[in-house]
Amino acid sequence: MAVEHGQRLQTLGVRALNSGGCVGIADNSVFAQVRHRPPCIAMAYFHTIASQRYAFADLRTLLARASPARSGDQLSGVMAPTMQERLAAQMALAALPLKVFLNECVVPYEDDEVTRLILDTHNAAAFAPVAHLTIGDFRNWLLGDAANTVTLAALAPGLTPEMVAAVSKICRLQDLVLIARKCSVVTRFRGTIGLPGRLATRLQPNHPTDDAIGIAASLLDGLLHGCGDAVIGINPATDNVAQVAKLLHMLDDVIGGYGIPTQSCVLTHVTNTLQAIERGAPVDLVFQSIGGTEGTNRSFGIDLALLAQAQQAAMSLQRGSVFEDGQRGRHLMYFETGQGSALSAGAHHGCDQQTIEARAYAVARAFKPLLVNTVVGFIGPEYLYNGKQIIRAGLEDHFCGKLLGVPMGCDVCYTNHAEADSDDMDALLTLLSAAGCNFIMGVPGADDIMLNYQSTSFHDALVMRQTLGLRAAPEFEAWLQQMKIFADGTASRLLPHIPERFASTLKHLDAA
């Protein structure tokens, strides 16, 4: 079985990332490592509170019982039944050496290509500075001054998703904010996303019938509020290749016509994007939903080989800008994730949803994406029941992604049947902005009328920028000032009049 999987990985082209490369052709050393790796060893863990001794059969169980309460884990039967047992699990987890996570798998190595990706690309040299620590000691180190932007960037390739998920489970919300704020993950395509002191936005002009006038109106509204520096991204109502190509050409005309230093994306299945590339469509970013297990990704109709194929196809188009350092923007993958997707697919392997979510970031990391977005409250209250659970999950996701070196954004959102409201979203938005979140969503009126959920609005980004002194991506900010949308300076302040360049466009839309 192990030999067969090793051959498959070589065929798929998964290469060790220790050199900082992206997914490519596997070499013989990696193939041998996959083929001969010894099986993961499961151990039991214990902790005593007063006279009660709590036992946890394996690492998977320990992580699940240590997770803060959420409805998805209750639904799957992995949540701690009492607060006392959760505390016991957290205490046992805090005493666990980080090295354990390299020897015990929560999802079997032989059965799952995501597990193989995580372990076979682990960078031992990067891990060495913290290899002697327990989870509790690691939390304390992360909160200390020794953990800074430089040291955390160097450490990222040495961390596994299970390690960062474990430490997040014993962190307070303020810990999740402070530690994530120290991480800087910067990416480039036509603009620079993730610089400290910057907050980018995805302009999301969805329409329930893909009506061109409706999309254009939302797009103009967003641009005039300073949104769109992360991406202008449309979820198509009609998901076929012809419609995808039509929308891509429309967005390309807008971006090119106004000289906007941003990128477009139509959030369709990766196979549709590949066909659109073959037909000559102007594809900037390749989108795909991903999960933390092979089975979850199979439910999405993908595997690592398909993602690698799409990445290479998009790279061949050479559509990224050439920056002042002479390098072309090459970050062109856009991934979305969400706690609960593995349980929905019946592919969670008895793990808690937050640990599996963190594993999705290992998949993302392998492809050096421009953007990774946790759509935190979108799946529904079956997985995150109320505002408190959504807030915690959003901060956990951002924290785990950033520690792993992933350019994390967050769709601060909820569905209409969740026990949450806009006050909860304001709280999460403010915490994430303080934590250095790379980007958020910009949706007209915060209400996506195509996907039928509540997100963040165009003015929400303005509020965060002005409240916390944040700014748009530098290239986009310069464009906003050049087009007389923003006033000159660093205050992210809108000018009071519609710029002349857009006035005629608005009249045309009004007439239509």
Side-chain angles (χ1 to χ4, degrees), residues 220-227 258-261 462 475-489 492-503:
L220 178 61
D221 189 16
L223 291 173
L224 292 177
H225 279 84
C227 291
Y258 289 97
I260 308 172
L462 278 175
E475 300 86 355
F476 193 77
E477 180 182 60
W479 178 82
L480 290 170
Q481 294 174 356
Q482 176 188 347
M483 299 298 290
K484 304 302 180 185
I485 296 172
F486 272 15
D488 291 339
S492 299
R493 185 172 62 85
L494 290 175
L495 289 171
H497 304 294
I498 295 176
E500 182 178 346
R501 181 78 186 274
F502 294 97

Side-chain angles (χ1 to χ4, degrees), residues 31 71 74 121 132 163 165 189 202 265 285-286 300 336:
F31 170 50
S71 52
Q74 184 176 16
T121 62
H132 62 289
M163 291 176 189
F189 189 74
R202 169 190 162 187
C265 186
L285 305 186
V286 174
F300 294 144
E336 288 194 345

Side-chain angles (χ1 to χ4, degrees), residues 195-418:
L195 290 169
R198 305 279 178 169
L199 176 64
T201 56
R202 169 190 162 187
L203 203 172
Q204 186 169 311
N206 294 343
H207 192 277
T209 63
D210 288 339
D211 178 72
I213 298 298
I215 291 172
S218 295
L219 205 162
L220 178 61
D221 189 16
L223 291 173
L224 292 177
H225 279 84
C227 291
D229 42 349
V231 64
I232 301 174
I234 299 175
N235 297 86
T238 306
D239 197 8
N240 58 61
V241 178
Q243 181 64 14
V244 167
K246 178 180 177 181
L247 292 171
L248 285 168
H249 281 290
M250 183 187 76
L251 293 178
D252 190 55
D253 289 344
V254 172
I255 290 172
Y258 289 97
I260 308 172
T262 192
Q263 38 283 325
S264 68
C265 186
V266 175
L267 281 70
T268 186
H269 193 269
V270 64
T271 53
N272 287 341
T273 302
L274 278 168
Q275 292 182 63
I277 291 173
E278 291 172 358
R279 297 184 186 187
V283 172
D284 289 341
L285 305 186
V286 174
F287 168 80
Q288 184 55 50
S289 295
I290 57 173
T293 67
E294 180 177 339
T296 308
N297 289 328
R298 193 183 304 118
S299 76
F300 294 144
I302 62 166
D303 60 15
L304 299 179
L306 183 58
L307 294 178
Q309 179 186 353
Q311 181 189 41
Q312 294 302 318
M315 279 187 173
S316 71
L317 301 180
Q318 296 285 294
R319 290 181 57 81
S321 294
V322 177
F323 290 83
E324 291 182 357
D325 60 4
Q327 298 297 310
R328 184 179 297 277
R330 292 173 59 83
H331 300 110
L332 44 70
M333 303 298 281
Y334 173 17
F335 295 122
E336 288 194 345
T337 68
Q339 290 192 27
S341 60
L343 178 57
S344 293
H348 64 297
H349 292 267
C351 297
D352 68 275
Q353 63 187 39
Q354 190 257 334
T355 297
I356 294 296
E357 171 71 6
R359 286 168 52 94
Y361 308 147
V363 175
R365 180 170 63 177
F367 296 93
K368 297 195 175 300
L370 181 75
L371 308 166
V372 177
N373 177 31
T374 169
V375 192
V376 65
F378 183 75
I379 301 182
E382 299 83 2
Y383 304 97
L384 295 168
Y385 178 70
N386 56 22
K388 181 177 181 178
Q389 293 184 10
I390 293 171
I391 290 169
R392 172 87 196 186
L395 292 172
E396 288 170 344
D397 293 351
H398 179 252
F399 167 94
C400 290
K402 283 292 184 66
L403 278 181
L404 291 170
V406 171
M408 287 302 297
C410 183
D411 191 344
V412 179
C413 64
Y414 64 100
T415 57
N416 291 318
H417 61 308

Side-chain angles (χ1 to χ4, degrees), residues 60-67 70 72-81 85-86 343 348-353:
R60 176 193 301 122
T61 304
L62 179 63
L63 288 167
R65 300 295 193 271
S67 287
R70 61 206 64 200
D73 290 342
Q74 184 176 16
L75 180 66
S76 66
V78 303
M79 189 178 80
E85 183 167 338
R86 181 175 302 113
L343 178 57
H348 64 297
H349 292 267
C351 297
D352 68 275
Q353 63 187 39

